[in-house]
Amino acid sequence: SGPSGSSPKSKDSSPRTKGTGGSRGSTGQNGPERVESVGSIGVFTRRSSAHREGSVAASRVQSSATNMTQDTNPHADIRSKIMSGAAAGADRPVTPFDGSSWQNLSFNELLQRQFEVEHMIRWDLKNEEDVANTQRAVEGLLTFVWQMKVQARERGIANHGLIFQELLAMGSAQREGESIVTGLVDLSDLPQEELDGMIKQVEILRGIIRLKVQDASDLKTASATLKEAFSFFKSLATHAQEKGVSRFDMLEQLRNF
């Protein structure tokens, strides 16, 4: 985990430009990317090329401002509510992922899990190398989820989805039309190498499993899927060793059973 932090820090309310590290993008491959921010919260949305005209962006901000006239500082209130909810459970310990805990599946359980895992994993498993790379990626993602939880606890919150959304806005994994809330946690204290590694894990996570992964609830579902996949690959290796074949050969036997 990175250096300990205290309470979440407010960020500058001006639009942020994208780059490596903690900055945000103003222009992307699919069109302009904007940060609509009032107070300390930024709503970061990836726009398509149809939104290039400044008049469209201006009208969105104007409309948003009009809808907020009944509250003197609505974003500050939203921020307070989000952070209040995020703090619940922040004192609970986080169990690290070390790869030692997994469900040893019987052959019949392995047979059933094979269908489930190959249905949820996007990556092709065409040879032994593919199996090894996918298992390694799954292990790395489970470590990443633990890492986000640690970073959240160090900032006094339990909602690691806020860490995920901050990382999502920093990288290239955010999809067109997808809005996320940023500016609630500050990751600028992390070493650049660690930050870049976490951003890369966000991209891998969103590319490897057939699930929407955007917030803490999605992360919970994704974590369960990854744990099932991890148990599958570990059990696959055990059964393969017992039969004296490779993991891929064992997988082929399951497919053809």
Side-chain angles (χ1 to χ4, degrees), residues 10-256:
S10 297
K11 289 193 175 183
D12 192 307
S13 62
S14 59
R16 290 162 285 187
T17 57
K18 185 178 184 182
T20 56
S23 56
R24 307 292 189 275
S26 57
T27 303
Q29 294 179 351
N30 296 321
E33 299 165 1
R34 295 181 61 257
V35 175
E36 301 168 7
S37 60
V38 179
S40 58
I41 294 181
V43 181
F44 186 80
T45 308
R46 186 176 295 280
R47 305 295 185 197
S48 66
S49 57
H51 291 81
R52 288 184 182 276
E53 297 183 10
S55 60
V56 176
S59 66
R60 290 177 61 85
V61 175
Q62 182 179 4
S63 175
S64 176
T66 301
N67 292 334
M68 295 188 297
T69 55
Q70 295 180 350
D71 195 325
T72 57
N73 196 354
H75 278 242
D77 183 55
I78 293 173
R79 181 185 193 282
S80 177
K81 289 180 179 178
I82 292 176
M83 296 309 292
S84 176
D91 57 340
R92 289 197 290 266
V94 179
T95 303
F97 172 76
D98 60 7
S100 62
S101 177
W102 51 280
Q103 180 186 5
N104 190 10
L105 303 174
S106 67
F107 180 82
N108 287 336
E109 290 172 328
L110 193 67
L111 190 63
Q112 175 63 29
R113 186 69 59 84
Q114 173 264 326
F115 174 80
E116 296 169 352
V117 168
E118 293 208 75
H119 177 73
M120 292 304 299
I121 297 291
R122 296 180 188 271
W123 292 7
D124 291 332
L125 300 175
K126 296 181 178 180
N127 50 50
E128 181 70 13
E129 184 179 5
D130 287 346
V131 173
N133 289 339
T134 303
Q135 179 177 340
R136 188 160 43 247
V138 167
E139 293 177 8
L141 289 171
L142 287 169
T143 299
F144 169 57
V145 172
W146 166 76
Q147 188 181 13
M148 285 192 293
K149 290 180 178 180
V150 170
Q151 290 298 333
R153 297 298 196 279
E154 290 182 353
R155 286 157 176 78
I157 59 176
N159 184 354
H160 59 301
L162 297 179
I163 303 290
F164 183 80
Q165 291 201 341
E166 203 70 37
L167 294 167
L168 183 57
M170 292 178 186
S172 59
Q174 188 182 1
R175 292 155 188 165
E176 184 179 314
E178 185 176 56
S179 295
I180 56 176
V181 177
T182 64
L184 292 174
V185 292
D186 184 3
L187 302 179
S188 62
D189 60 324
L190 293 178
Q192 190 62 49
E193 183 177 358
E194 181 177 354
L195 192 61
D196 289 343
M198 294 178 75
I199 292 171
K200 181 63 177 177
Q201 289 297 320
V202 170
E203 296 172 358
I204 293 174
L205 177 58
R206 299 195 104 198
I208 196 173
I209 57 177
R210 302 180 190 278
L211 291 172
K212 176 185 76 70
V213 186
Q214 186 173 343
D215 54 28
S217 178
D218 298 333
L219 284 170
K220 183 177 181 180
T221 303
S223 294
T225 298
L226 290 169
K227 288 177 181 177
E228 291 179 355
F230 179 66
S231 291
F232 169 76
F233 285 116
K234 294 289 285 186
S235 297
L236 182 70
T238 298
H239 284 271
Q241 186 176 20
E242 290 175 354
K243 290 179 175 291
V245 298
S246 70
R247 288 172 294 182
F248 179 71
D249 287 339
M250 187 68 214
L251 178 60
E252 284 286 83
Q253 291 183 29
L254 295 172
R255 288 168 171 171
N256 296 325

